[in-house]
Amino acid sequence: MIRTEENRREQKRTEENRREQKRTEENLREELKSLEGSWHSPINLGHGVITADRNVQRRFTRRLKLMQIPKNMTNMRVLDIGTWDGFFAFEFERRGAEVLAIDNWNDDKQFRTFLFARKHLNSKVEYRKMDVHDLDPSLVGRFDVVFFAGMLYHLRYPLNVLEKIRSVTEGCLILETVIMVPFIHEHFPMKAFFPGDEEANASGRSWGISGAATISWLKEALNSAGFVKMDVKYTSSFRWLYKIIALLTNMPQGRRGIIHAFTR
Ligand SMILES: C[S@@+](CC[C@H](N)C(=O)[O-])C[C@H]1O[C@@H](n2cnc3c(N)ncnc32)[C@H](O)[C@@H]1O
C-alpha cells in the first residue's frame, strides 16, 4: 500500500518535470522565433533546441573534426576571429579555454544571434566588435591559439591581416580558408585579385572564388608574416576532379583547406 503511494508520487514528480521541460523548450522556441537574427551555425541551446537544421549540423560536425582543434583547451587563451554567432568560440569555452570572440558584426542580425546564444549558454566568452585589421597586442593581448576560419578570402588586405594575426599569436594559428585549385601551376604562390567583399558586392564584379589563393601562396604568406612552421591538415579529397573542372571551364576552382601555423 505504502509502496503504491510512493510510486504514485514519483510518477507525479516525473510528469511535472516533463511538463516543465516542455514549457521551457516552448518558451525558448518562441524567443528564438521572435529574434530578428541570422544564424550561421548549429548552436545547441539545450532543451532540444538547435539553431540550424540537420544539413548544417552535419557540415559543422565535419568541419570541427577536420580542424583538429585540441580536445582539452584548459589554461589556453583563444581568439576566435569572425565569430558571427559564436559557434566555435562557445566550443572552445566548452573545451576549457578562456575565449575572446571578435567580429565587425556589420550586420546587426549576426550580432543578435551571438548575444542570444551567449545568454542562453550562460557563457563567459568575452567579445569585442572590432575589425580584424585593427588587431593589436596592446588592445587584446596575445593568444595560445588563434582561430581564423571562413574569412581570409573575404578581405582586401590578406597579407596585412596575417601580419596582424601573427602579432597576437603566441602558439598556433588555425586557418581555414578557400584554396585555389587551378588546372596547372598549383605549386605557384598565386592568388586571385579580390577588392574585398564590400567593393565586390557593390560593383557586382565577382570571379566566384573571392580572394582564394593556392596552398603555396598561403604557406609563403604565413611565412612572410612570421610563422615558422606550417602543417597542412586538410585539402579537398576530390582535388583532381576540380582540376578537371578548372580545365573544362577555363576557371580555377575553390575548395576548402586547413593549415595550422606555428610561431616556434
Ligand atoms: C563566413 S563568416 C565565418 C564565420 C565563422 N568563422 C565560420 O568559419 O563558420 C565570416 C565572418 O567574418 C566577419 N568579418 C568579415 N570581415 C571582417 C573584418 N574585416 N573584421 C572582422 N570580422 C569580419 C563577418 O561578419 C562574418 O561573421
Side-chain angles (χ1 to χ4, degrees), residues 40 63 82 84 88 103-104 110 130-132 149-151 154-155:
H40 168 60
R63 282 183 81 195
W84 192 324
F88 289 104
D103 200 298
N104 60 10
Q110 294 183 345
M130 104 183 260
D131 195 292
V132 64
M151 241 188 90
H154 287 294
L155 304 174

Side-chain angles (χ1 to χ4, degrees), residues 40-41 59-60 63 67 80-88 102-107 110 129-134 147-151 153-155 161 176 197-198 256:
H40 168 60
S41 47
R59 186 154 53 80
F60 273 77
R63 282 183 81 195
M67 299 279 190
D80 179 21
I81 304 172
T83 196
W84 192 324
D85 49 21
F87 176 87
F88 289 104
I102 68 161
D103 200 298
N104 60 10
W105 284 303
N106 278 341
D107 182 349
Q110 294 183 345
K129 196 167 182 164
M130 104 183 260
D131 195 292
V132 64
H133 294 90
D134 299 330
F147 185 77
F148 186 45
M151 241 188 90
Y153 52 95
H154 287 294
L155 304 174
V161 164
E176 184 219 46
D197 272 358
E198 275 154 34
R256 293 269 160 174

Side-chain angles (χ1 to χ4, degrees), residues 51 82 110 118 122 175 183 243:
T51 57
Q110 294 183 345
R118 187 175 182 276
N122 259 328
L175 167 69
F183 175 57
K243 276 180 167 300

Side-chain angles (χ1 to χ4, degrees), residues 22-213:
K22 189 95 194 114
R23 265 198 301 275
T24 314
E25 180 188 331
E26 279 166 8
N27 289 344
L28 184 55
R29 285 193 193 281
E30 276 304 308
E31 215 185 315
L32 195 57
K33 224 192 281 174
S34 62
L35 174 82
E36 280 185 38
S38 111
W39 292 98
H40 168 60
S41 47
I43 299 177
N44 188 342
L45 299 173
H47 313 287
V49 179
I50 303 180
T51 57
D53 65 30
R54 279 186 197 284
N55 282 339
V56 184
Q57 288 172 33
R58 264 194 295 275
R59 186 154 53 80
F60 273 77
T61 303
R62 182 160 185 273
R63 282 183 81 195
L64 255 184
K65 191 168 150 228
L66 295 175
M67 299 279 190
Q68 299 185 39
I69 299 158
K71 287 207 164 38
N72 184 349
M73 299 184 105
T74 312
N75 294 328
M76 288 188 191
R77 192 160 185 253
V78 178
L79 173 67
D80 179 21
I81 304 172
T83 196
W84 192 324
D85 49 21
F87 176 87
F88 289 104
F90 301 130
E91 178 61 27
F92 303 147
E93 182 182 46
R94 199 184 64 76
R95 295 183 190 203
E98 181 195 314
V99 186
L100 172 66
I102 68 161
D103 200 298
N104 60 10
W105 284 303
N106 278 341
D107 182 349
D108 265 355
K109 286 187 173 173
Q110 294 183 345
F111 190 38
R112 277 185 219 126
T113 56
F114 174 83
L115 294 178
F116 188 94
R118 187 175 182 276
K119 180 179 98 179
H120 284 280
L121 294 174
N122 259 328
S123 164
K124 295 196 169 36
V125 163
E126 278 182 57
Y127 60 95
R128 252 187 201 224
K129 196 167 182 164
M130 104 183 260
D131 195 292
V132 64
H133 294 90
D134 299 330
L135 268 182
D136 189 311
S138 68
L139 293 176
V140 296
R142 291 195 168 80
F143 300 84
D144 304 293
V145 175
V146 174
F147 185 77
F148 186 45
M151 241 188 90
L152 188 70
Y153 52 95
H154 287 294
L155 304 174
R156 183 180 174 96
Y157 305 110
L159 187 55
N160 172 249
V161 164
L162 289 179
E163 284 166 359
K164 298 275 178 169
I165 289 176
R166 172 64 187 87
S167 74
V168 299
T169 311
E170 225 155 48
C172 173
L173 162 68
I174 300 178
L175 167 69
E176 184 219 46
T177 188
V178 174
I179 287 176
M180 186 205 284
V181 183
F183 175 57
I184 50 174
H185 303 319
E186 200 178 352
H187 62 287
F188 254 72
M190 294 189 297
K191 188 180 174 311
F193 168 76
F194 190 63
D197 272 358
E198 275 154 34
E199 198 176 316
N201 291 341
S203 69
R205 280 181 290 110
S206 163
W207 286 87
I209 54 170
S210 306

